[in-house]
Amino acid sequence: TSRQNPLCKLVRSLHSSKGRREQNLFLAEGRNAVDAALEGGWPISQVLCAPQESEKWRNKVPPETQFHEVAPEILEYLSDAQTATEVLALCELPLQQSDLKFENLLLLLDSVSDPGNVGTLIRAADAAGAGRILLTSNSADAFSPKVVRASAGSVFHLPPIQLENNSSRTIIEKLEAQSTPILIADASAEISCFDFAWPEKCAIVLG
């Protein structure tokens, strides 16, 4: 497979927010991320893997998903992961929604611009049992390759809400319209998160 192959160009385009929006796809890189996507029944359009791993992945991939064997050096070119990648998946972006619906806890990430931090917080929210997670428009793209890798598969268990308008003002207005308590995380607060009387439903803001 040549680097000029249309499929290679498509995969490379998913490293930018513009490319992900235009293609309505995002990239899952590596065994853990692709396994999490498959186990969660996430819509996947195409899978690319190294020839020596072909039999294993072909048996895991749904029959409607396009499957490609790709030379290891091409996989290395297509991925920006620091370690060698044996498999890549092109996953469909979640549909945008106009309403903000959730149960129990919503984690709102405001101005969290580092992709590694966003991925780590998605993973922590998933482990803590949060109902949903939402990022403001001035945060890192929740479906960038770095965020997906840092989430260690949690982006497929707790996918961030894709609002049509995710400006901070719009989100706060939607929460206030629902009379949802909005809590601000503050490292210097007098009450710890362990002593706080949590409401049954609330939004906690980090950033």
Side-chain angles (χ1 to χ4, degrees):
T1 303
S2 164
R3 292 186 179 187
Q4 302 307 312
N5 183 286
L7 178 58
C8 289
K9 292 182 177 180
L10 169 61
V11 175
R12 289 295 299 176
S13 75
L14 303 183
H15 288 275
S16 72
S17 293
K18 180 175 181 290
R20 290 189 289 275
R21 289 194 303 270
E22 289 178 348
Q23 302 297 335
N24 199 37
L25 296 168
F26 69 100
L27 200 57
E29 302 171 295
R31 182 184 309 166
N32 292 339
V34 177
D35 266 337
L38 290 170
E39 289 168 4
W42 197 277
I44 298 173
S45 66
Q46 304 189 58
V47 168
L48 296 76
C49 84
Q52 64 271 25
E53 304 292 341
S54 175
E55 184 176 354
K56 176 180 70 176
W57 287 104
R58 192 181 293 275
N59 291 333
K60 290 184 176 184
V61 171
E64 66 273 15
T65 300
Q66 295 182 47
F67 188 87
H68 309 274
E69 290 185 20
V70 180
E73 59 270 21
I74 296 296
L75 280 176
E76 184 178 358
Y77 166 69
L78 296 176
S79 172
D80 65 0
Q82 294 183 347
T83 56
T85 300
E86 71 178 49
V87 63
L88 301 172
L90 279 61
C91 306
E92 294 182 14
L93 282 172
L95 295 175
Q96 289 192 334
Q97 56 191 67
S98 57
D99 296 329
L100 179 54
K101 298 179 180 179
F102 67 97
E103 297 179 0
N104 59 63
L105 174 66
L106 170 73
L107 177 61
L108 175 58
L109 302 185
D110 183 19
S111 303
V112 182
S113 58
D114 181 84
N117 289 343
V118 170
T120 299
L121 288 167
I122 292 173
R123 189 170 74 240
D126 185 23
R132 298 303 301 270
I133 187 167
L134 174 62
L135 284 74
T136 58
S137 55
N138 54 356
S139 292
D141 185 335
F143 293 95
S144 73
K146 288 183 179 179
V147 171
V148 175
R149 286 199 305 272
S151 79
S154 285
V155 74
F156 299 105
H157 305 146
L158 185 67
I161 298 171
Q162 298 293 287
L163 278 183
E164 293 175 357
N165 183 344
N166 63 334
S167 69
S168 300
R169 179 184 294 275
T170 298
I171 294 169
I172 295 302
E173 288 175 352
K174 288 181 179 293
L175 291 171
E176 289 178 341
Q178 299 176 23
S179 301
T180 300
I182 301 171
L183 312 175
I184 308 296
D186 184 350
S188 59
E190 295 182 1
I191 303 176
S192 79
C193 62
F194 302 106
D195 298 326
F196 182 71
W198 291 87
E200 288 187 9
K201 180 178 180 179
C202 63
I204 182 168
V205 182
L206 294 178

